[in-house]
Amino acid sequence: MNKSQPRILRIIASFLIPLSTLIPTPSSYAEIPDSAEVTQIIGPNSLGIRRRRGGDYDPVSQGTIMKILDKLDIPSSGRTYAKLEFYNKSNLPMGLAVQASIKNNLRTSYYFPCLVETKDTFIIEWTNPKTTKRGCANGFKVRSGSRRNTNLPDSNQFFTFASIKQWLMGQKSPSSWRYCTVVDERGRGWLGISQFRSNPCEKPLQECEATGKGNCVRLTFDYWETEDSELTASVSCANNQEFILKESGLAMKERVEQIWQEAKAKGATFCGLQVFSHEDTIIEPSWIEEINRVEIGNIDPCLTFRINEGEVRVRSVKKPEGVSIKKGDQYQYCLDQQVDSNYQFDASVESIDMQIFLARSRGYEFCDRQQASGGQEGDVRRIQLTANQGEIRLDYEMYGIPDRLRVIYENRELVNTGFVSGRKSLSIPFSGNSGQVTVELTGNIEKSGTKWNYTLYCPQ
């Protein structure tokens, strides 16, 4: 295909379709990320990753790469925050970042590419620079961690202990169906559904590459369990076309194939399938806003969505068509037949989780690491903490020539060592609204050769 063709198609489409309903054309259309990198870990690092090949969990460090079907666990071990950034198959950033956290002795599990099971707080940010595509924009599935502990089927482990037990008791073993939707540059789509031991994307990708036009892109990739008694399936397409049904997990495969054919018969394009249970929500970003940022919290039995920037749509079994929530909105999706709610909050008052998520872009450093070392030039820096109260441990080494260190919190001086030499460890109590402190190190200008270093630890 001529490289100028997609641009020409976009120009033509803009005259045919109102801007308010225009779904982005192929060069900017969302696709499933090819990888994610752990770019930040704050707090105790007890993270583990289970690769799609199965087996034991591997340790996680900054720079760890996740691929399709990998699972990242953040166990209950203090206040831990992990941030991931996403890349396409050309290793280009996709404008998607997520941050998972553990604060309440609970566990969060993240399944690459677009599924998280959370009992704590999770932040998703989509950005839409002109030169990149946005990953998981067709739906990031968030599952409440309060009802069950559901794991993606392990492709190399056919039986689990539970399935063997059920087999011995004469019961039918539970199973799962994986699904994948693929489109070409004109929006023509292909659907793949397979048992959990197989890759559902393989066949539709082959069909797209054989008969499609231009690049073939995976839009959705997920699974459902046949043991679920009530599921919702949605085939969401361009120009606000949507095909929705409710069915049990056992009967879902046939029904999904039917509505997929119905969508094709009606000429729908850029279609992506999502199947979700009562415990799931599907989060989709606005295509118009430059930044869409949502903070998700789990307060049993509800998932809470706070929009820090932009606009998202939250879809569920209750409201498969979705609820649109904008900056300053807080929406609660509740289980146990409780009534959902939507009300305003002050988006300028940021949670600690949001402060940590934005800290790097604001030029802040992080606790739990050596902050600086130097000499006469000294240093001043803003350090992001993991709480707004507790005790901070400060270790410093001033060696033989005296230097001075000050810690300032909300314009209050918590520590002023004066000009001192030697090594010391301090425990600093603090309490307030902010999650940052300023540390000012003044080097000794009267004596050359002075040197120093210090480490500020996260609150306990």
PDB file of all heavy atoms in Angstrom, residues 361-389:
ATOM      1  N   SER A 361       7.326  12.867  36.437  1.00  0.00           N
ATOM      2  CA  SER A 361       7.094  13.921  35.440  1.00  0.00           C
ATOM      3  C   SER A 361       7.246  15.308  36.053  1.00  0.00           C
ATOM      4  O   SER A 361       7.489  16.281  35.339  1.00  0.00           O
ATOM      5  CB  SER A 361       5.697  13.766  34.822  1.00  0.00           C
ATOM      6  OG  SER A 361       4.684  13.962  35.800  1.00  0.00           O
ATOM      7  N   ARG A 362       7.117  15.409  37.356  1.00  0.00           N
ATOM      8  CA  ARG A 362       7.280  16.686  38.049  1.00  0.00           C
ATOM      9  C   ARG A 362       8.706  16.915  38.527  1.00  0.00           C
ATOM     10  O   ARG A 362       8.993  17.931  39.148  1.00  0.00           O
ATOM     11  CB  ARG A 362       6.317  16.735  39.250  1.00  0.00           C
ATOM     12  CG  ARG A 362       4.851  16.786  38.833  1.00  0.00           C
ATOM     13  CD  ARG A 362       3.907  16.567  39.995  1.00  0.00           C
ATOM     14  NE  ARG A 362       2.527  16.821  39.597  1.00  0.00           N
ATOM     15  CZ  ARG A 362       1.460  16.554  40.348  1.00  0.00           C
ATOM     16  NH1 ARG A 362       1.635  16.031  41.559  1.00  0.00           N
ATOM     17  NH2 ARG A 362       0.246  16.817  39.916  1.00  0.00           N
ATOM     18  N   GLY A 363       9.576  15.980  38.257  1.00  0.00           N
ATOM     19  CA  GLY A 363      10.984  16.146  38.596  1.00  0.00           C
ATOM     20  C   GLY A 363      11.342  15.760  40.013  1.00  0.00           C
ATOM     21  O   GLY A 363      12.426  16.113  40.489  1.00  0.00           O
ATOM     22  N   TYR A 364      10.466  15.020  40.700  1.00  0.00           N
ATOM     23  CA  TYR A 364      10.749  14.616  42.065  1.00  0.00           C
ATOM     24  C   TYR A 364      11.577  13.332  42.081  1.00  0.00           C
ATOM     25  O   TYR A 364      11.500  12.505  41.179  1.00  0.00           O
ATOM     26  CB  TYR A 364       9.457  14.358  42.846  1.00  0.00           C
ATOM     27  CG  TYR A 364       8.523  15.538  42.943  1.00  0.00           C
ATOM     28  CD1 TYR A 364       7.188  15.358  43.265  1.00  0.00           C
ATOM     29  CD2 TYR A 364       8.962  16.840  42.716  1.00  0.00           C
ATOM     30  CE1 TYR A 364       6.302  16.424  43.364  1.00  0.00           C
ATOM     31  CE2 TYR A 364       8.090  17.913  42.809  1.00  0.00           C
ATOM     32  CZ  TYR A 364       6.756  17.697  43.122  1.00  0.00           C
ATOM     33  OH  TYR A 364       5.896  18.753  43.212  1.00  0.00           O
ATOM     34  N   GLU A 365      12.333  13.152  43.160  1.00  0.00           N
ATOM     35  CA  GLU A 365      13.010  11.892  43.416  1.00  0.00           C
ATOM     36  C   GLU A 365      12.119  11.049  44.335  1.00  0.00           C
ATOM     37  O   GLU A 365      11.077  11.511  44.805  1.00  0.00           O
ATOM     38  CB  GLU A 365      14.370  12.151  44.078  1.00  0.00           C
ATOM     39  CG  GLU A 365      15.308  13.000  43.235  1.00  0.00           C
ATOM     40  CD  GLU A 365      15.696  12.336  41.935  1.00  0.00           C
ATOM     41  OE1 GLU A 365      15.713  11.091  41.893  1.00  0.00           O
ATOM     42  OE2 GLU A 365      15.987  13.052  40.963  1.00  0.00           O
ATOM     43  N   PHE A 366      12.548   9.815  44.609  1.00  0.00           N
ATOM     44  CA  PHE A 366      11.737   8.912  45.416  1.00  0.00           C
ATOM     45  C   PHE A 366      12.479   8.483  46.676  1.00  0.00           C
ATOM     46  O   PHE A 366      13.718   8.414  46.702  1.00  0.00           O
ATOM     47  CB  PHE A 366      11.342   7.666  44.621  1.00  0.00           C
ATOM     48  CG  PHE A 366      10.358   7.962  43.527  1.00  0.00           C
ATOM     49  CD1 PHE A 366      10.783   8.096  42.221  1.00  0.00           C
ATOM     50  CD2 PHE A 366       9.010   8.105  43.810  1.00  0.00           C
ATOM     51  CE1 PHE A 366       9.880   8.367  41.214  1.00  0.00           C
ATOM     52  CE2 PHE A 366       8.093   8.375  42.815  1.00  0.00           C
ATOM     53  CZ  PHE A 366       8.529   8.515  41.505  1.00  0.00           C
ATOM     54  N   CYS A 367      11.709   8.160  47.701  1.00  0.00           N
ATOM     55  CA  CYS A 367      12.285   7.639  48.939  1.00  0.00           C
ATOM     56  C   CYS A 367      12.804   6.215  48.729  1.00  0.00           C
ATOM     57  O   CYS A 367      12.619   5.625  47.666  1.00  0.00           O
ATOM     58  CB  CYS A 367      11.241   7.670  50.055  1.00  0.00           C
ATOM     59  SG  CYS A 367       9.664   6.899  49.646  1.00  0.00           S
ATOM     60  N   ASP A 368      13.462   5.690  49.746  1.00  0.00           N
ATOM     61  CA  ASP A 368      14.017   4.326  49.746  1.00  0.00           C
ATOM     62  C   ASP A 368      15.226   4.171  48.829  1.00  0.00           C
ATOM     63  O   ASP A 368      15.441   3.084  48.282  1.00  0.00           O
ATOM     64  CB  ASP A 368      12.959   3.284  49.376  1.00  0.00           C
ATOM     65  CG  ASP A 368      12.302   2.665  50.607  1.00  0.00           C
ATOM     66  OD1 ASP A 368      12.597   3.135  51.719  1.00  0.00           O
ATOM     67  OD2 ASP A 368      11.511   1.726  50.460  1.00  0.00           O
ATOM     68  N   ARG A 369      15.999   5.207  48.643  1.00  0.00           N
ATOM     69  CA  ARG A 369      17.221   5.108  47.847  1.00  0.00           C
ATOM     70  C   ARG A 369      18.148   6.262  48.208  1.00  0.00           C
ATOM     71  O   ARG A 369      17.712   7.278  48.738  1.00  0.00           O
ATOM     72  CB  ARG A 369      16.895   5.129  46.354  1.00  0.00           C
ATOM     73  CG  ARG A 369      16.219   6.411  45.874  1.00  0.00           C
ATOM     74  CD  ARG A 369      15.530   6.188  44.556  1.00  0.00           C
ATOM     75  NE  ARG A 369      14.451   5.209  44.691  1.00  0.00           N
ATOM     76  CZ  ARG A 369      13.742   4.765  43.662  1.00  0.00           C
ATOM     77  NH1 ARG A 369      14.017   5.184  42.448  1.00  0.00           N
ATOM     78  NH2 ARG A 369      12.772   3.883  43.846  1.00  0.00           N
ATOM     79  N   GLN A 370      19.437   6.062  47.922  1.00  0.00           N
ATOM     80  CA  GLN A 370      20.374   7.154  48.176  1.00  0.00           C
ATOM     81  C   GLN A 370      20.005   8.321  47.271  1.00  0.00           C
ATOM     82  O   GLN A 370      19.900   8.180  46.054  1.00  0.00           O
ATOM     83  CB  GLN A 370      21.819   6.726  47.914  1.00  0.00           C
ATOM     84  CG  GLN A 370      22.828   7.796  48.310  1.00  0.00           C
ATOM     85  CD  GLN A 370      24.267   7.390  48.077  1.00  0.00           C
ATOM     86  OE1 GLN A 370      24.832   7.666  47.029  1.00  0.00           O
ATOM     87  NE2 GLN A 370      24.864   6.727  49.072  1.00  0.00           N
ATOM     88  N   GLN A 371      19.791   9.471  47.881  1.00  0.00           N
ATOM     89  CA  GLN A 371      19.284  10.602  47.129  1.00  0.00           C
ATOM     90  C   GLN A 371      20.370  11.374  46.410  1.00  0.00           C
ATOM     91  O   GLN A 371      20.201  11.788  45.269  1.00  0.00           O
ATOM     92  CB  GLN A 371      18.526  11.542  48.072  1.00  0.00           C
ATOM     93  CG  GLN A 371      17.344  10.893  48.751  1.00  0.00           C
ATOM     94  CD  GLN A 371      16.314  10.396  47.765  1.00  0.00           C
ATOM     95  OE1 GLN A 371      16.127  10.972  46.708  1.00  0.00           O
ATOM     96  NE2 GLN A 371      15.653   9.299  48.092  1.00  0.00           N
ATOM     97  N   ALA A 372      21.468  11.609  47.080  1.00  0.00           N
ATOM     98  CA  ALA A 372      22.490  12.459  46.481  1.00  0.00           C
ATOM     99  C   ALA A 372      23.797  12.266  47.225  1.00  0.00           C
ATOM    100  O   ALA A 372      23.835  11.823  48.373  1.00  0.00           O
ATOM    101  CB  ALA A 372      22.067  13.929  46.532  1.00  0.00           C
ATOM    102  N   SER A 373      24.890  12.612  46.564  1.00  0.00           N
ATOM    103  CA  SER A 373      26.210  12.692  47.192  1.00  0.00           C
ATOM    104  C   SER A 373      26.946  13.818  46.498  1.00  0.00           C
ATOM    105  O   SER A 373      26.672  14.134  45.340  1.00  0.00           O
ATOM    106  CB  SER A 373      26.965  11.369  47.043  1.00  0.00           C
ATOM    107  OG  SER A 373      27.151  11.057  45.675  1.00  0.00           O
ATOM    108  N   GLY A 374      27.848  14.470  47.211  1.00  0.00           N
ATOM    109  CA  GLY A 374      28.537  15.585  46.587  1.00  0.00           C
ATOM    110  C   GLY A 374      29.506  16.262  47.523  1.00  0.00           C
ATOM    111  O   GLY A 374      29.986  15.659  48.487  1.00  0.00           O
ATOM    112  N   GLY A 375      29.726  17.555  47.233  1.00  0.00           N
ATOM    113  CA  GLY A 375      30.712  18.306  47.986  1.00  0.00           C
ATOM    114  C   GLY A 375      30.231  19.702  48.299  1.00  0.00           C
ATOM    115  O   GLY A 375      29.100  19.914  48.719  1.00  0.00           O
ATOM    116  N   GLN A 376      31.098  20.699  47.991  1.00  0.00           N
ATOM    117  CA  GLN A 376      30.790  22.074  48.366  1.00  0.00           C
ATOM    118  C   GLN A 376      29.551  22.632  47.674  1.00  0.00           C
ATOM    119  O   GLN A 376      28.911  23.550  48.190  1.00  0.00           O
ATOM    120  CB  GLN A 376      31.996  22.964  48.058  1.00  0.00           C
ATOM    121  CG  GLN A 376      33.157  22.800  49.033  1.00  0.00           C
ATOM    122  CD  GLN A 376      34.301  23.740  48.691  1.00  0.00           C
ATOM    123  OE1 GLN A 376      34.789  23.767  47.555  1.00  0.00           O
ATOM    124  NE2 GLN A 376      34.742  24.508  49.683  1.00  0.00           N
ATOM    125  N   GLU A 377      29.216  22.085  46.505  1.00  0.00           N
ATOM    126  CA  GLU A 377      28.087  22.633  45.744  1.00  0.00           C
ATOM    127  C   GLU A 377      26.749  22.398  46.435  1.00  0.00           C
ATOM    128  O   GLU A 377      25.748  23.085  46.164  1.00  0.00           O
ATOM    129  CB  GLU A 377      28.046  22.035  44.339  1.00  0.00           C
ATOM    130  CG  GLU A 377      27.586  20.579  44.246  1.00  0.00           C
ATOM    131  CD  GLU A 377      28.629  19.561  44.654  1.00  0.00           C
ATOM    132  OE1 GLU A 377      29.775  19.959  44.977  1.00  0.00           O
ATOM    133  OE2 GLU A 377      28.295  18.369  44.658  1.00  0.00           O
ATOM    134  N   GLY A 378      26.671  21.406  47.316  1.00  0.00           N
ATOM    135  CA  GLY A 378      25.426  21.118  48.010  1.00  0.00           C
ATOM    136  C   GLY A 378      24.355  20.577  47.073  1.00  0.00           C
ATOM    137  O   GLY A 378      24.617  20.210  45.924  1.00  0.00           O
ATOM    138  N   ASP A 379      23.089  20.538  47.554  1.00  0.00           N
ATOM    139  CA  ASP A 379      22.001  19.968  46.756  1.00  0.00           C
ATOM    140  C   ASP A 379      20.672  20.335  47.398  1.00  0.00           C
ATOM    141  O   ASP A 379      20.550  20.398  48.621  1.00  0.00           O
ATOM    142  CB  ASP A 379      22.142  18.446  46.691  1.00  0.00           C
ATOM    143  CG  ASP A 379      21.081  17.804  45.821  1.00  0.00           C
ATOM    144  OD1 ASP A 379      21.230  17.863  44.593  1.00  0.00           O
ATOM    145  OD2 ASP A 379      20.103  17.265  46.369  1.00  0.00           O
ATOM    146  N   VAL A 380      19.654  20.582  46.546  1.00  0.00           N
ATOM    147  CA  VAL A 380      18.283  20.776  47.003  1.00  0.00           C
ATOM    148  C   VAL A 380      17.382  19.929  46.121  1.00  0.00           C
ATOM    149  O   VAL A 380      17.460  20.028  44.886  1.00  0.00           O
ATOM    150  CB  VAL A 380      17.837  22.260  46.935  1.00  0.00           C
ATOM    151  CG1 VAL A 380      16.376  22.388  47.389  1.00  0.00           C
ATOM    152  CG2 VAL A 380      18.738  23.130  47.787  1.00  0.00           C
ATOM    153  N   ARG A 381      16.531  19.111  46.725  1.00  0.00           N
ATOM    154  CA  ARG A 381      15.637  18.294  45.913  1.00  0.00           C
ATOM    155  C   ARG A 381      14.339  18.000  46.660  1.00  0.00           C
ATOM    156  O   ARG A 381      14.268  18.010  47.880  1.00  0.00           O
ATOM    157  CB  ARG A 381      16.300  16.987  45.498  1.00  0.00           C
ATOM    158  CG  ARG A 381      16.710  16.070  46.625  1.00  0.00           C
ATOM    159  CD  ARG A 381      17.430  14.847  46.066  1.00  0.00           C
ATOM    160  NE  ARG A 381      18.572  15.237  45.259  1.00  0.00           N
ATOM    161  CZ  ARG A 381      19.105  14.457  44.311  1.00  0.00           C
ATOM    162  NH1 ARG A 381      18.601  13.267  44.064  1.00  0.00           N
ATOM    163  NH2 ARG A 381      20.142  14.866  43.618  1.00  0.00           N
ATOM    164  N   ARG A 382      13.306  17.743  45.848  1.00  0.00           N
ATOM    165  CA  ARG A 382      11.982  17.376  46.344  1.00  0.00           C
ATOM    166  C   ARG A 382      11.879  15.858  46.275  1.00  0.00           C
ATOM    167  O   ARG A 382      12.147  15.257  45.232  1.00  0.00           O
ATOM    168  CB  ARG A 382      10.927  18.021  45.466  1.00  0.00           C
ATOM    169  CG  ARG A 382       9.524  17.948  46.012  1.00  0.00           C
ATOM    170  CD  ARG A 382       9.185  19.183  46.781  1.00  0.00           C
ATOM    171  NE  ARG A 382       7.742  19.358  46.899  1.00  0.00           N
ATOM    172  CZ  ARG A 382       7.182  19.980  47.905  1.00  0.00           C
ATOM    173  NH1 ARG A 382       7.941  20.483  48.862  1.00  0.00           N
ATOM    174  NH2 ARG A 382       5.878  20.123  47.970  1.00  0.00           N
ATOM    175  N   ILE A 383      11.460  15.227  47.370  1.00  0.00           N
ATOM    176  CA  ILE A 383      11.421  13.770  47.436  1.00  0.00           C
ATOM    177  C   ILE A 383       9.989  13.305  47.693  1.00  0.00           C
ATOM    178  O   ILE A 383       9.326  13.773  48.627  1.00  0.00           O
ATOM    179  CB  ILE A 383      12.363  13.248  48.535  1.00  0.00           C
ATOM    180  CG1 ILE A 383      13.808  13.651  48.214  1.00  0.00           C
ATOM    181  CG2 ILE A 383      12.251  11.724  48.655  1.00  0.00           C
ATOM    182  CD1 ILE A 383      14.799  13.280  49.284  1.00  0.00           C
ATOM    183  N   GLN A 384       9.529  12.387  46.845  1.00  0.00           N
ATOM    184  CA  GLN A 384       8.183  11.836  46.974  1.00  0.00           C
ATOM    185  C   GLN A 384       8.177  10.693  47.984  1.00  0.00           C
ATOM    186  O   GLN A 384       8.989   9.777  47.917  1.00  0.00           O
ATOM    187  CB  GLN A 384       7.695  11.317  45.617  1.00  0.00           C
ATOM    188  CG  GLN A 384       6.319  10.681  45.643  1.00  0.00           C
ATOM    189  CD  GLN A 384       5.230  11.685  45.965  1.00  0.00           C
ATOM    190  OE1 GLN A 384       5.143  12.737  45.353  1.00  0.00           O
ATOM    191  NE2 GLN A 384       4.391  11.361  46.944  1.00  0.00           N
ATOM    192  N   LEU A 385       7.219  10.762  48.921  1.00  0.00           N
ATOM    193  CA  LEU A 385       7.042   9.727  49.925  1.00  0.00           C
ATOM    194  C   LEU A 385       5.881   8.813  49.542  1.00  0.00           C
ATOM    195  O   LEU A 385       5.159   9.074  48.576  1.00  0.00           O
ATOM    196  CB  LEU A 385       6.772  10.365  51.290  1.00  0.00           C
ATOM    197  CG  LEU A 385       7.774  11.424  51.753  1.00  0.00           C
ATOM    198  CD1 LEU A 385       7.300  12.048  53.071  1.00  0.00           C
ATOM    199  CD2 LEU A 385       9.168  10.824  51.904  1.00  0.00           C
ATOM    200  N   THR A 386       5.663   7.761  50.339  1.00  0.00           N
ATOM    201  CA  THR A 386       4.562   6.835  50.082  1.00  0.00           C
ATOM    202  C   THR A 386       3.406   7.017  51.060  1.00  0.00           C
ATOM    203  O   THR A 386       2.476   6.208  51.075  1.00  0.00           O
ATOM    204  CB  THR A 386       5.070   5.383  50.165  1.00  0.00           C
ATOM    205  OG1 THR A 386       5.688   5.177  51.439  1.00  0.00           O
ATOM    206  CG2 THR A 386       6.074   5.100  49.065  1.00  0.00           C
ATOM    207  N   ALA A 387       3.452   8.060  51.869  1.00  0.00           N
ATOM    208  CA  ALA A 387       2.375   8.360  52.819  1.00  0.00           C
ATOM    209  C   ALA A 387       2.501   9.811  53.235  1.00  0.00           C
ATOM    210  O   ALA A 387       3.524  10.466  52.982  1.00  0.00           O
ATOM    211  CB  ALA A 387       2.450   7.439  54.040  1.00  0.00           C
ATOM    212  N   ASN A 388       1.460  10.326  53.864  1.00  0.00           N
ATOM    213  CA  ASN A 388       1.521  11.703  54.363  1.00  0.00           C
ATOM    214  C   ASN A 388       1.568  11.753  55.885  1.00  0.00           C
ATOM    215  O   ASN A 388       1.315  12.798  56.483  1.00  0.00           O
ATOM    216  CB  ASN A 388       0.340  12.526  53.838  1.00  0.00           C
ATOM    217  CG  ASN A 388      -0.998  11.921  54.202  1.00  0.00           C
ATOM    218  OD1 ASN A 388      -1.074  10.941  54.942  1.00  0.00           O
ATOM    219  ND2 ASN A 388      -2.065  12.494  53.669  1.00  0.00           N
ATOM    220  N   GLN A 389       1.907  10.625  56.498  1.00  0.00           N
ATOM    221  CA  GLN A 389       2.138  10.598  57.938  1.00  0.00           C
ATOM    222  C   GLN A 389       2.932   9.347  58.287  1.00  0.00           C
ATOM    223  O   GLN A 389       3.002   8.402  57.510  1.00  0.00           O
ATOM    224  CB  GLN A 389       0.820  10.619  58.704  1.00  0.00           C
ATOM    225  CG  GLN A 389      -0.076   9.445  58.427  1.00  0.00           C
ATOM    226  CD  GLN A 389      -1.387   9.535  59.196  1.00  0.00           C
ATOM    227  OE1 GLN A 389      -1.565  10.424  60.038  1.00  0.00           O
ATOM    228  NE2 GLN A 389      -2.294   8.622  58.930  1.00  0.00           N
TER     229      GLN A 389
END
